[in-house]
Amino acid sequence: MQIAKQGAEARDWSWVEASVWTDRMLSALDNGVKGGVWYSVMDKVYAPATLAAAWAKVQANGGAAGVDRQSIERFAAHAEDYLAELSRALRAGDYRPAAIRRVEIPKGDGGMRPLGIPTVKDRIAQTAVKFVLEPILEARFHPASFGFRPGRGAKDALRVVDRLVKSGCCFVVDADLKSYFDTIPHDRLIERLRARVSDGRVLDLIQAWLNQEIVAECERWTPAGGTPQGAVISPLLANLYLHPLDELMAARDLTMVRYADDFVVLCDSMEKAQEGLALIRAFANENGLTLHPTKTHIGDCRINGQGFEFLGYRFEAGHRFVRKQSILRLRDRIRAKTKRTSGQSLARTIAALNPTLKGWFGYFKHATSGLKDVDAFVRRRLRAMLRKQEKRPGCGAAPDDRIRWPNAFFASAGLFTMETAWRQARQSR
């Protein structure tokens, strides 16, 4: 079962940056350009209108300051001058990116994920280049890819996976590329980009960003490979590098669903799954990538213990569970909002909790279990807070706590509950 290929006539280009893409250029996207390669697009990057639109996007996204410690607010105070200076530097070829400030953020498996933070100026320049390059690359990207693409997202990928499993594609290749973003070979990545865009100045910009120095506390180094996680341009480049894998699997009539570097191949037989894994291994070896030895496997997801995890869910034995790490991350967020020593009223605490709970439910409402456990955990945390306010010790799990503050008490206080929302959603369906 293949994911249908979109025809050119079905493409929606409403998301492209209007200051860059004219009707004539959009027509060329649909109909193709001579040799399939775009030339001389740098003038679109340094155009004042493009940089102004890029700055608006960066400003809306917010984010921390880079190594120069210049915040969004400080840039905004002199934005007109800074943008004019950036335009001149890009046009004259004098632009040089600053180093990237690296921080580490927790991962769901208990490890740490490196995150690169470019300066505000570099984020604007990268956004301008993304405005130019993304439609060119999107015109060729495969529909099996869902991550960091306009009009596509995790829920779309999950719907496809769910449909495939229900149709009998239960033999799954669950593959994991080890440190993918940090290991993409620069030379091969640039060659893939050169096959679509032949403007040397744009390619030089991409190369400069790939070679940006990284600063972490007292350390400073230049990466030999990879594209920095956190950089505006990185997701687009990461999708470009794995695009040949999308095409390879489709050419072999194997259905892959990919979200950035997270992907599964769903087959109707073990033989096809084994073929798929062999192709993925060969692709990884030939392209300088490494499959994680313990996180890559084949299984029949109808059998307990052979399920697979994808985008926060676990598919196994006919059920779709919330992935354990997803629940653990939510519990951490709940703990941060329900500290017994916070001194917050119950009403204010519930008001802070509800957006988090509603957002989480909006994504995981199709799970077949785990939601009741979240409700119980939230109420236990709130009961512990109420005990503390009465200067009584305890974690809120005692029988008398549930009698004094029953579930109905929290419902009347406006607490959002997963089970109630799930039942309402089910009835409406």
Side-chain angles (χ1 to χ4, degrees):
M1 178 179 180
Q2 283 293 330
I3 301 173
K5 183 75 174 177
Q6 292 175 309
E9 69 282 1
R11 289 195 178 276
D12 175 15
W13 296 113
S14 62
W15 54 269
V16 304
E17 177 50 48
S19 64
V20 177
W21 288 90
T22 63
D23 290 340
R24 183 178 62 82
M25 292 172 68
L26 289 176
S27 177
L29 282 177
D30 282 332
N31 300 320
V33 293
K34 186 176 180 180
V37 182
W38 287 71
Y39 300 89
S40 303
V41 293
M42 185 63 186
D43 60 315
K44 297 292 184 182
V45 174
Y46 60 69
T50 305
L51 293 177
W55 158 236
K57 183 89 168 177
V58 170
Q59 186 178 31
N61 289 339
V67 293
D68 60 357
R69 299 298 174 183
Q70 184 181 51
S71 65
I72 292 285
E73 293 73 22
R74 284 180 58 194
F75 191 98
H78 304 282
E80 188 175 340
D81 293 337
Y82 289 142
L83 292 176
E85 178 186 318
L86 178 57
S87 178
R88 287 192 297 269
L90 288 167
R91 183 169 189 165
D94 297 332
Y95 165 82
R96 298 292 182 273
I100 290 176
R101 182 165 71 91
R102 172 169 283 195
V103 297
E104 291 193 333
I105 58 175
K107 291 173 60 177
D109 59 7
M112 301 298 288
R113 184 189 305 279
L115 183 68
I117 304 176
T119 64
V120 174
K121 181 185 74 172
D122 290 341
R123 298 206 293 266
I124 294 169
Q126 289 191 18
T127 301
V129 170
K130 184 171 181 281
F131 283 161
V132 174
L133 291 185
E134 189 169 34
I136 295 172
L137 301 181
E138 272 290 325
R140 294 286 184 88
F141 280 169
H142 197 276
S145 165
F146 291 88
F148 306 107
R149 295 185 59 190
R152 292 169 159 255
K155 290 182 180 180
D156 301 307
L158 287 166
R159 275 192 287 268
V160 173
V161 168
D162 192 54
R163 185 176 74 244
L164 288 166
V165 170
K166 287 177 179 177
S167 72
C169 296
C170 300
F171 298 92
V172 182
V173 182
D174 187 4
D176 185 276
L177 292 170
K178 188 175 181 180
S179 302
Y180 171 63
F181 278 82
D182 289 333
T183 57
I184 300 173
H186 289 171
D187 55 346
R188 297 182 188 182
L189 175 60
I190 292 295
E191 283 306 308
R192 273 174 204 173
L193 184 57
R194 195 188 306 277
R196 299 291 290 125
V197 178
S198 190
D199 191 319
R201 291 182 297 171
V202 171
L203 296 174
D204 287 345
L205 273 180
I206 299 292
Q207 188 72 65
W209 288 324
L210 294 176
N211 294 335
Q212 278 177 280
E213 278 193 311
I214 297 174
V215 176
E217 296 181 350
C218 297
E219 295 182 87
R220 195 178 189 103
W221 71 95
T222 301
T227 178
Q229 296 189 59
V232 174
I233 203 72
S234 288
L236 181 63
L237 297 178
N239 272 333
L240 171 65
Y241 199 70
L242 286 182
H243 173 63
L245 178 61
D246 299 336
E247 293 190 314
L248 172 64
M249 304 306 283
R252 296 297 186 95
D253 200 29
L254 293 166
T255 304
M256 182 171 74
V257 182
R258 181 171 69 81
Y259 190 95
D261 60 331
D262 190 2
F263 56 89
V264 290
V265 182
L266 298 110
C267 309
D268 57 10
S269 71
M270 180 59 74
E271 291 74 22
K272 285 187 178 180
Q274 290 169 341
E275 178 191 356
L277 181 56
L279 287 170
I280 293 168
R281 286 193 190 281
F283 177 89
N285 292 335
E286 293 167 5
N287 289 275
L289 305 174
T290 304
L291 284 178
H292 199 292
T294 60
K295 295 182 180 180
T296 300
H297 70 281
I298 295 177
D300 181 345
C301 68
R302 294 170 296 185
I303 300 173
N304 280 321
Q306 293 192 33
F308 65 97
E309 295 180 350
F310 187 63
L311 299 179
Y313 279 91
R314 180 169 183 83
F315 293 80
E316 186 170 287
H319 296 283
R320 188 154 79 166
F321 304 100
V322 180
R323 186 169 173 253
K324 181 180 179 182
Q325 286 85 347
S326 301
I327 293 179
L328 293 177
R329 282 198 296 270
L330 175 64
R331 288 192 172 202
D332 286 341
R333 296 171 67 189
I334 292 169
R335 287 189 185 97
K337 296 176 184 292
T338 57
K339 293 180 179 178
R340 284 181 287 179
T341 57
S342 69
Q344 295 276 10
S345 68
L346 179 65
R348 293 191 67 176
T349 302
I350 288 176
L353 272 174
N354 278 348
T356 298
L357 298 176
K358 289 177 181 178
W360 196 87
F361 174 78
Y363 186 81
F364 287 107
K365 62 185 176 183
H366 298 292
T368 54
S369 70
L371 301 182
K372 288 184 181 180
D373 296 338
V374 173
D375 289 337
F377 179 75
V378 171
R379 287 191 287 257
R380 187 166 66 248
R381 295 287 300 180
L382 293 176
R383 289 182 181 116
M385 284 183 60
L386 293 171
R387 286 184 68 99
K388 180 68 174 178
Q389 290 172 6
E390 295 182 350
K391 296 183 170 54
R392 298 165 59 207
C395 63
D400 63 314
D401 291 334
R402 292 193 291 273
I403 293 172
R404 182 167 186 185
W405 300 297
N407 296 355
F409 169 81
F410 296 109
S412 65
L415 178 66
F416 177 84
T417 58
M418 306 278 176
E419 184 178 9
T420 301
W422 184 82
R423 290 184 185 279
Q424 290 173 346
R426 190 175 182 183
Q427 288 172 358
S428 66
R429 289 196 295 268

